[in-house]
Amino acid sequence: SSTASTTAEETNSPETSKDFSVVGGGQSISETPSADTTSSTTPPATTKPQQTLTPTTTAERRSVTGIITDASQYFVAFQTQDGKSHYLSIPETGLEGGLDYVTIGQFATLNYIGTLDESHAVLTSVTPSYMTTDIYLEEYAFAIEIINAVKAMDLEYLSDLSKFPLFIDTGNYNGVINTPGEFEAIDNEKIFTEALIERIANYNLFNLKYSDSGFHFGNGGPNITFDVDDEGILNIIGITSVYPDENTK
């Protein structure tokens, strides 16, 4: 199971300044455009959040640990261990240490001014977190890509993340799809059911599990399974969009 060795919680602490570096793969923010998400806690990458605080204020500085899920020059989005998604805006003056090595899927400690539950919280710096789970950065990053594809209901995006032949269960079809073209010809609503979106779109990444059959977004019911192939590449290998009692095959 994937159990964090420390608890991610909001703490009051003095600000520290460290160079932030990442060992391993994943989606580098400096190289990859920010994914568009529909979460109400994450603004579009093209929208600059309104600034109401800056690091020069005398407000109390706080820190929180989480998994980075998105970023742009204006904000960093992340998820905490309780499954809540948050974003912190980046001041025009930039960050201590910068964002050059911040990576999607990375555990990080985010130092900020303000309150997480309010939209005017401002990020001041990002520092390494030593929280660990059984899941690697690249695997979290791939899960985030799947979540983004489901949020966008983007069949082509999901196809690009998949390896064919691909097993699917849509209720009225339970079997193998052999090519991306066959998959992309399926009606969107057959794949992106309300049940699948509900399961995946707001999934708590800290609950991501691995079994002999691959990585799963929870147990049973609508799900997407992915795994590493013989060449070391992560791919979706199965999609179930309905609960078992909805299968009309």
Side-chain angles (χ1 to χ4, degrees):
S1 63
S2 175
T3 304
S5 60
T6 59
T7 301
E9 58 183 8
E10 186 176 341
T11 58
N12 297 339
S13 61
E15 190 80 22
T16 60
S17 178
K18 293 184 181 179
D19 290 330
F20 185 70
S21 60
V22 173
V23 178
Q27 209 174 11
S28 172
I29 288 169
S30 60
E31 299 174 351
T32 305
S34 171
D36 184 22
T37 64
T38 57
S39 170
S40 61
T41 59
T42 304
T46 55
T47 302
K48 183 175 180 180
Q50 189 174 16
Q51 303 293 325
T52 57
L53 290 174
T54 69
T56 60
T57 65
T58 58
E60 186 174 33
R61 296 191 177 197
R62 302 172 184 270
S63 64
V64 63
T65 299
I67 299 173
I68 295 175
T69 57
D70 198 3
S72 77
Q73 61 180 318
Y74 301 126
F75 72 92
V76 171
F78 60 98
Q79 188 182 70
T80 48
Q81 196 171 3
D82 58 6
K84 292 182 179 180
S85 294
H86 305 276
Y87 78 89
L88 295 169
S89 56
I90 296 175
E92 293 180 359
T93 53
L95 301 180
E96 301 168 12
L99 276 174
D100 290 344
Y101 297 101
V102 174
T103 304
I104 301 297
Q106 175 75 17
F107 280 112
T109 297
L110 300 103
N111 306 298
Y112 65 97
I113 295 171
T115 304
L116 283 183
D117 294 333
E118 299 178 7
S119 60
H120 60 255
V122 174
L123 185 66
T124 59
S125 66
V126 180
T127 57
S129 169
Y130 299 101
M131 177 182 290
T132 59
T133 71
D134 295 333
I135 309 298
Y136 292 117
L137 180 154
E138 296 90 345
E139 294 156 356
Y140 281 125
F142 193 78
I144 291 166
E145 287 203 72
I146 293 173
I147 290 170
N148 289 337
V150 171
K151 284 182 175 181
M153 297 182 65
D154 189 330
L155 206 59
E156 185 175 351
Y157 188 1
L158 208 60
S159 177
D160 289 342
L161 300 175
S162 300
K163 182 171 184 175
F164 295 87
L166 173 70
F167 173 82
I168 70 168
D169 182 358
T170 64
N172 58 357
Y173 179 80
N174 185 326
V176 172
I177 300 295
N178 291 303
T179 67
E182 289 179 33
F183 180 72
E184 292 167 28
I186 300 172
D187 289 340
N188 261 33
E189 61 268 20
K190 294 293 185 182
I191 300 296
F192 298 112
T193 60
E194 184 177 344
L196 183 69
I197 294 171
E198 184 179 353
R199 167 66 67 87
I200 303 295
N202 298 305
Y203 187 75
N204 185 343
L205 291 164
F206 288 85
N207 293 334
L208 189 64
K209 306 292 184 184
Y210 181 77
S211 70
D212 291 340
S213 59
F215 296 88
H216 306 276
F217 291 84
N219 298 319
N223 219 318
I224 293 178
T225 302
F226 66 95
D227 206 351
V228 182
D229 65 16
D230 293 338
E231 298 178 352
I233 299 173
L234 288 162
N235 298 281
I236 295 172
I237 59 174
I239 300 172
T240 300
S241 58
V242 296
Y243 286 98
D245 58 0
E246 297 178 40
N247 197 308
T248 58
K249 189 184 69 159

